[in-house]
Amino acid sequence: MLRTMSKVIVFLGLISLGFSASKIELHFGPGDGSEPTLDQHFISFVEKAKKTLDGAFFEFRLDSIVDALIRAHNRGVKLRLVTDDGNYYLRDHATGIVDREKMNPFAQRILDAGIDLKQDNDRSGLMHNKFAIVDGQWVWTGSYNLTDSCSLKNENNAIWLKNAELAKVFTTEFEEMFVDNQFGVRSPSQLENQTVMHGDIKIEVLFGPEDNPMGKVEEYLRNATESIYFMEFAMTHNDLGEVMVQKHHQGLKVRGIFDRMLYRSTGPYAEFSRLTAAGVPVVVYDSPHRGKMHHKVFIIDAEGSEPKVAIGSGNASANGNKGNDENVVIIHDKAIAKRYLREFRSLFGKVSRVMATFHNFKNLKPGTRVPRLTLIVSSNGVATQKLKIQFPPRWPMHDESVGLKIYRLRKGRQYETTAKEDFRVTQRDIQLHSADLTKDGESSVVIIKVTNALVPEIPGGYNLYIEAKAPNTGFYPLTSQPVVYVGDTNDIGVGTGEFYEDAVQILGELTKQNFTMLKETVENCRNYGICDLLEVPSFVSKVNKILQQLVNVNQNAEALKLLEQLKSFQARPNRAKIFEQLYDGSEEQNISAQ
């Protein structure tokens, strides 16, 4: 999400940890010019070195940092460095092509100075670490690459601290690469020796792929009791996405931020569609003034009794977890977790209550032309002036054969208003300048129909990304984005066959204000414990949206009653018992104690 204010890089000092070098320095970048940037902090870290500096970094691409390393070498510090082969040689950053006949000029400068620099054996996996150890005492790690863009444009974080035991953990991993030439799956796991204490703070270190760091993150997500927040450059790990959907459905607060570039390039492979379909608030970081959202952070139960934060170099990617050399550091500390949460909130920003759903409930067939895609947008009580509707990633909709029509409601019927609307269609989006949705009633709804769109070949969930502008505000993304499914995918959460057909039919009937099938589903859950459909977050989320739209447009009392029951049901783990209490005895019965 766009953040309009620059932020200051922060120093976090923790006190009373029981020994002299007790503080942990935590830095965020880029800054606003009033504080040191991440490259300047790293240079200060390098300048601490008196005897040794070991560093494993994905890339060296900043003269000021290379200068600092050479100065350290010239004053007698022994430097040993490891980098990825794709950045050891010359890479064209526009195309990503690596010319192995030529050296990266920054790597060449390091080698010419007489510094030991090795690469990771020309393998397919990445040496993606970003850590360093100084004098066997100090450790630096985080998401920060030693480049100009990561220093001055991209959102990043880094920590450093003095802890000899932690330095030993990182040195062991470093020497597996630098001395023993063991990268990727060849690197041995020494997980049992990688948990240390920093005063009262427990710190766990996991190296990828040998320690399966995302597996540990998943374990902590499953054990979360209050909240999960994430900031992830690449979020394509299906298991992590599924756990967060489950936790959201259990009533935990779950929120997330995706990077704009990776969101658009990964498309249906990313977890965005899965999460937003289930009602998890997720946004795309898209600042016109900055670069990438490069964090790799999970904040778990920040305000609970066991707060923790997972940081480091590892993206939430199953492929990266299996093949890349990575590090993930899990810090068990409330102050650290709260500081990361504050950073998350500054990037997440505001969201809009405006609601949108596709009227297409059946999965689309890959590679075909769909006669009509119908999108219904309702204000949900928020007067709305304008809408920006981004097309799904990896689904090009802007071609001459695709048509677009806009409709409004009047006395329960749809009337085409395309010729009267002020809108613009680009390769990326639809910009509706004349949305002008009122808070309620028929004029709180606009219907957009896209005809003859070519369905992508790749199966999966495809979501629009809609931003709404109310009077005197900017554009804010919807809390939940509309999703349509392509191919025989189970991402909708209800599989195929009769079970899937029931879900599609219920949704279709609801749009006609026919509640019979939904009521029968609720009754089956209450009477016979058959609650399968009502355990599917994406299905329940879509039902809630349709019911809410009916309430907004015509104050439908039956829809309101079902909506209230479903909301109570969704927030409780033992749903069958809750339904018994809702239906047995007085309908006005208080169930807040459950």
Side-chain angles (χ1 to χ4, degrees), residues 331-344:
I331 305 172
H332 298 250
D333 180 72
K334 184 176 286 291
I336 293 283
K338 282 191 171 183
R339 180 59 193 93
Y340 272 95
L341 179 57
R342 191 157 78 247
E343 176 71 3
F344 171 90

Side-chain angles (χ1 to χ4, degrees), residues 60 63 66 88-90 103-110 112:
F60 297 91
D63 279 319
V66 174
Y88 183 83
Y89 301 108
L90 184 64
M103 290 293 297
N104 174 342
F106 299 94
Q108 189 66 63
R109 283 192 62 206
I110 292 170
D112 289 346

